[in-house]
Amino acid sequence: MNPWRGLRGLPREIWVLFAVALVNRAGTMALPFLVLYLTRVREMPAGDAGLALVVYGVGALCTAPLSGRLSDWAGPVRVMQASLFLSGLLLVVFPFVRGLVPILAITLAWSLAGEAFRPACLACVSDLVASDRRKSAFAVIRLAVNLGMSVGPAIGGLLAVVSFPALYLVDGATSILAGIVLTFSAWPVAARSSPIRHLLQTAAPEGAADFAPAEGIDIAAASRPARLLADRRLLWFLAAMIPVMVVFFQHATSFPLFLVQELRMPETAYGMMFPINTLLIVILEVPLNLAMVRWPHGPALALGALLCGAGFGALAFARGIAGIAATVVIWTFGEMILLPGSAAYAADIAPRDRRGQYMGLYSMTFSAAFAFGPWIGIQVFDRFGGATLWGAAFACGILSAAMMWRLQASPAES
C-alpha cells in the first residue's frame, strides 16, 4: 500500500508552490552565514554582528501581520511575488553595502521582504485546499522547505570558502528564480486577487462594465482591518503555540551549548543530529499527516506539543550519541505533527476574507519565539544548568499540550 497515495487529489497549484519553496529554500545560505560574513569580511565586532540578527528578527516579527493583511487585500500570490523579487534584489545588493547603519538598514529591509513570503504562502494553501486536505498540503510545503534547507546551507559553506559575496549573490538569484517560476505559473483569479475583490467581481451583473455596490452597503467597513482580537479561539491557540515554540527553537542555541559545554561532546556531534531530523521529515512527515487526517485538531496538536516537550525534556537524562539521537527522534515526531496541524487549524478557524491576517498572526508566534526563545534558553542554561532548562522545556510542552487539547474547530470556511 502506497502511503503517499493521499496526495493525488491535491491541486496543481500546491505543486507549483512546492517547486517555488524548494527553489527558494535551496538557495537559503545568506542568513545562516550572516554573522560570519559580518565579522570576517566586514570585520565588525561580534556584538554588532549579533545586532544584525536582532534587527532581522524584529523585521520578521513586524512583517508577519503586515503580509497577512496585504494577502487579504491584494491576494497572496502577489505578495509572494513581491517578497521573492524584492528580497532577491536586496541580497544581490547586500555585499556592496558597508558601514554598520547601512548594513542594519538593508538587513531590516531584507527581513521585511523575505519573511513576508511565509504568511502569504500559508494563506494561499488555505485558499486552494479544503479543510480535510490541509494537513497533507502543509506537510508537502514543509517537505519542500526541508529539502531545500538540507541543500542551501551546505552549498553556502562551500561558497563561503571561496567567496562570501558569491554566497549572497547565489541566494538572491534563487529567490528571483523562484519568483519567476511563480509569475509564469497559471493561477485561479481567486488566488491572484483578494477574496473581497473577487466576490464583488463575480457578483457583478452580466455585461456591466463596473460593479457599483447597492446603496447602503458599507464597503469601507468591509475593507476595514478585522478585529481579530475578538476571536477567543485564535487568541487561545496563539497563546498555546508560544510555550512549545520557545522550546522548539532551543535546537539552534541551547541544544548545541548543552552538548559541547555540559556533556563535553565535540561540535561534530551537534552536526550529526541535523540529518536525523531532516531524514525523518522527508520520509515520514507527509505519510504521517495523511494517516492522521481524520484526527480532531485538539488531540493531534496536543500530541505534537507533548512530543516536542518530551524530546527536549529527555535531554536531562540523555548521555552519549545514541541517547541524544533518541531525543531528536522524539521531538522531530512532535514537529511533524504539530507544525502542519497547527497551520491547518489556523486556516480552518479563519473566515475566508481574513485568512491572510490569521496566517500573519500565526506566523508572528514563530517570529516572536525565534526572537526571544533562544535568549531565554541561554539565560536559564547559564544560570541553572541543563537539567533545569530541559525540565522547564518539558513543563512548557505539557502546558501547550494541555491548552491544545481544549481547542475546538468549527471551520469558518472549507
Side-chain angles (χ1 to χ4, degrees), residues 180-405:
I180 292 172
V181 172
L182 184 64
T183 299
F184 286 93
S185 302
W187 288 89
V189 173
R192 295 198 307 270
S193 58
S194 71
I196 293 177
R197 185 179 303 163
H198 178 61
L199 178 63
L200 296 180
Q201 289 172 345
T202 55
E206 186 174 352
D210 294 300
F211 174 65
E215 187 175 351
I217 296 179
D218 188 356
I219 295 297
S223 61
R224 192 175 298 145
R227 298 177 180 177
L228 302 184
L229 297 182
D231 190 337
R232 295 183 179 180
R233 284 188 307 177
L234 175 65
L235 295 181
W236 182 267
F237 166 63
L238 297 179
M241 285 292 296
I242 289 176
V244 71
M245 284 296 99
V246 167
V247 171
F248 177 74
F249 284 117
Q250 301 308 311
H251 76 269
T253 51
S254 301
F255 181 39
L257 288 177
F258 173 72
L259 297 186
V260 174
Q261 294 185 10
E262 192 160 313
L263 298 187
R264 305 297 179 186
M265 290 183 174
E267 287 80 357
T268 53
Y270 174 61
M272 292 170 59
M273 299 301 114
F274 279 95
I276 297 173
N277 173 263
T278 302
L279 190 63
L280 287 172
I281 289 172
V282 169
I283 295 175
L284 295 179
E285 181 166 317
V286 171
L288 179 62
N289 280 272
L290 287 171
M292 296 180 65
V293 70
R294 299 191 182 279
W295 281 46
H297 283 298
L301 295 179
L303 176 60
L306 184 61
L307 288 174
C308 283
F312 283 96
L315 285 168
F317 308 100
R319 297 295 181 269
I321 293 294
I324 299 298
T327 68
V328 173
V329 171
I330 295 170
W331 63 255
T332 298
F333 269 91
E335 174 190 359
M336 292 189 293
I337 296 170
L338 178 64
L339 298 190
S342 59
Y345 179 79
D348 278 0
I349 66 172
R352 180 175 178 80
D353 61 345
R354 297 186 221 165
R355 281 180 184 153
Q357 295 176 58
Y358 274 62
M359 288 306 183
L361 290 179
Y362 167 71
S363 297
M364 194 169 67
T365 63
F366 288 80
S367 300
F370 179 77
F372 302 110
W375 180 83
I376 293 172
I378 290 174
Q379 297 302 312
V380 174
F381 177 72
D382 282 343
R383 295 187 182 186
F384 305 106
T388 300
L389 172 62
W390 306 128
F394 183 49
C396 286
I398 292 176
L399 174 61
S400 284
M403 296 177 71
M404 295 287 190
W405 187 269

Side-chain angles (χ1 to χ4, degrees), residues 30-200:
L31 186 60
F33 289 90
L34 177 61
V35 172
L36 284 177
Y37 168 76
L38 294 179
T39 54
R40 293 186 181 181
V41 178
R42 294 295 168 228
E43 299 181 345
M44 293 173 61
D48 289 346
L51 181 60
L53 278 181
V54 173
V55 168
Y56 188 95
V58 170
L61 189 62
C62 294
T63 201
L66 177 62
S67 171
R69 186 166 295 178
L70 286 173
S71 296
D72 288 337
W73 176 70
V77 174
R78 291 195 175 105
V79 174
M80 287 189 287
Q81 289 171 335
S83 171
L84 292 169
F85 285 122
L86 286 175
S87 62
L89 291 173
L90 288 167
L91 283 168
V92 170
V93 172
F94 199 98
F96 302 99
V97 177
R98 289 169 173 78
L100 176 60
V101 174
I103 285 175
L104 293 180
I106 195 171
T107 300
L108 178 61
W110 166 32
S111 174
L112 290 171
E115 295 298 325
F117 180 86
R118 176 182 168 84
C121 181
L122 294 175
C124 192
V125 174
S126 305
D127 288 340
L128 291 168
V129 183
S131 176
D132 61 344
R133 309 300 302 277
R134 283 178 182 146
K135 286 183 182 179
S136 56
F138 286 122
V140 164
I141 302 303
R142 270 183 42 83
L143 175 62
V145 170
N146 281 281
L147 283 172
M149 288 297 292
S150 66
V151 174
I155 297 176
L158 297 175
L159 286 175
V161 175
V162 180
S163 169
F164 263 107
L167 183 149
Y168 285 81
L169 295 176
V170 171
D171 195 338
T174 56
S175 293
I176 294 172
L177 177 60
I180 292 172
V181 172
L182 184 64
T183 299
F184 286 93
S185 302
W187 288 89
V189 173
R192 295 198 307 270
S193 58
S194 71
I196 293 177
R197 185 179 303 163
H198 178 61
L199 178 63
L200 296 180

